[in-house]
C-alpha cells in the first residue's frame, strides 16, 4: 500500500472513529440526564421509574471499551507506518496530509466534548448510591481516548512538518 493510500484509508477511519466518539458523547449526555432524574426521584422519595439505567449504562461502558480496543491495533500500526514515511513533492500527498491534520483537530474537539460529558456525568455520579456502576471502565476509556487523540495530533503535526520540508 502506498503512503498516499495509507493516508486516505486513515482519513476514512478517522471519520468513522470521530462519528463513534460523537455518538458516545451524546449517549453519555443522555445517561447524565437520566441519572439526574433518578437522583431527583430518590431525593423526593419517589419510586424510581428508570429500572434499566444500570444495565444500559454497563452495556454502554462495555461497548465503548470494545470499540476502542478494536480500533487501537489499527491506529498503532498506522501510526508506525506513517512515522516512517519519506516526504514527497506530490501535491495529492500534501493534500492528504492536510486533510489528516484537519480531521485530527476535529477529533480533538470531539474528544474534548466527550471529556466534558464525562466530567458532567462524574460530578453527578458521586451522589449516586442506588447501584454500582462500572464508572472505572468509562474513566479508562476517556483517558485512553484522550491519549490516542494526543498521539494522532502529534503524528499529524510531524507529517505536516515533513511535508512542508519536502516541498
Amino acid at each position: 500500500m502506498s503512503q498516499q493510500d495509507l493516508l486516505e484509508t486513515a482519513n476514512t477511519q478517522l471519520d468513522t472513529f470521530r462519528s463513534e466518539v460523537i455518538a458516545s458523547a451524546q449517549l453519555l449526555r443522555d445517561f447524565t440526564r437520566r441519572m439526574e432524574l433518578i437522583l431527583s426521584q430518590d431525593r423526593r422519595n419517589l419510586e424510581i421509574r428508570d429500572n434499566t439505567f444500570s444495565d444500559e449504562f454497563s452495556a454502554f461502558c462495555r461497548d465503548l471499551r470494545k470499540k476502542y480496543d478494536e480500533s487501537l491495533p489499527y491506529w498503532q500500526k498506522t501510526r508506525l507506518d506513517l512515522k516512517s514515511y519519506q516526504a514527497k513533492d506530490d501535491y495529492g500527498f500534501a493534500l492528504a496530509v492536510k486533510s489528516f491534520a484537519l480531521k485530527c483537530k476535529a477529533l480533538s474537539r470531539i474528544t474534548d466534548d466527550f471529556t466534558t460529558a464525562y466530567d458532567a456525568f462524574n460530578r453527578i455520579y458521586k451522589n449516586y448510591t442506588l447501584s454500582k456502576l462500572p464508572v472505572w471502565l468509562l474513566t479508562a476509556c476517556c483517558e485512553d481516548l484522550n491519549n490516542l487523540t494526543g498521539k494522532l495530533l502529534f503524528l499529524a503535526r510531524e507529517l505536516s512538518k515533513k511535508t512542508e520540508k519536502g516541498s
Side-chain angles (χ1 to χ4, degrees):
M1 180 183 287
S2 73
Q3 292 170 345
Q4 188 163 347
D5 292 339
L6 183 64
L7 261 176
E8 289 172 7
T9 304
N11 281 332
T12 304
Q13 290 293 326
L14 207 50
D15 285 336
T16 304
F17 191 58
R18 187 172 58 97
S19 59
E20 288 175 356
V21 174
I22 289 170
S24 296
Q26 183 58 45
L27 275 172
L28 189 53
R29 283 191 289 276
D30 291 343
F31 281 119
T32 302
R33 284 196 272 308
R34 287 173 64 186
M35 186 179 290
E36 285 175 329
L37 185 61
I38 289 170
L39 287 173
S40 172
Q41 291 169 351
D42 186 46
R43 277 193 297 268
R44 295 180 185 154
N45 291 326
L46 298 173
E47 179 184 348
I48 307 297
R49 294 182 212 120
D50 193 349
N51 298 325
T52 61
F53 178 79
S54 295
D55 294 336
E56 290 176 13
F57 182 77
S58 296
F60 165 74
C61 291
R62 284 190 305 272
D63 186 49
L64 188 63
R65 181 83 249 172
K66 182 181 172 193
K67 285 180 185 177
Y68 178 80
D69 287 343
E70 288 173 353
S71 68
L72 188 60
Y74 170 78
W75 288 115
Q76 288 173 334
K77 182 180 180 327
T78 301
R79 281 181 52 237
L80 285 174
D81 292 345
L82 288 175
K83 279 182 184 180
S84 64
Y85 101 94
Q86 300 300 317
K88 289 184 173 181
D89 291 333
D90 183 13
Y91 175 75
F93 187 72
L95 193 60
V97 168
K98 283 189 185 261
S99 176
F100 182 73
L102 289 173
K103 289 179 183 196
C104 284
K105 288 177 186 175
L107 176 66
S108 176
R109 286 190 293 276
I110 298 305
T111 301
D112 290 344
D113 185 43
F114 182 83
T115 302
T116 302
Y118 165 75
D119 289 341
F121 178 85
N122 209 24
R123 274 193 306 277
I124 294 168
Y125 172 71
K126 292 181 181 186
N127 298 323
Y128 186 78
T129 58
L130 299 175
S131 67
K132 201 72 170 156
L133 299 175
V135 175
W136 61 271
L137 193 55
L138 181 63
T139 302
C141 288
C142 188
E143 290 174 4
D144 291 345
L145 180 62
N146 282 319
N147 288 338
L148 178 61
T149 301
K151 290 176 182 177
L152 290 174
L153 278 171
F154 182 76
L155 175 65
R157 281 191 296 270
E158 291 298 309
L159 289 174
S160 295
K161 284 179 189 176
K162 285 182 179 180
T163 304
E164 289 172 7
K165 288 179 183 176
S167 302

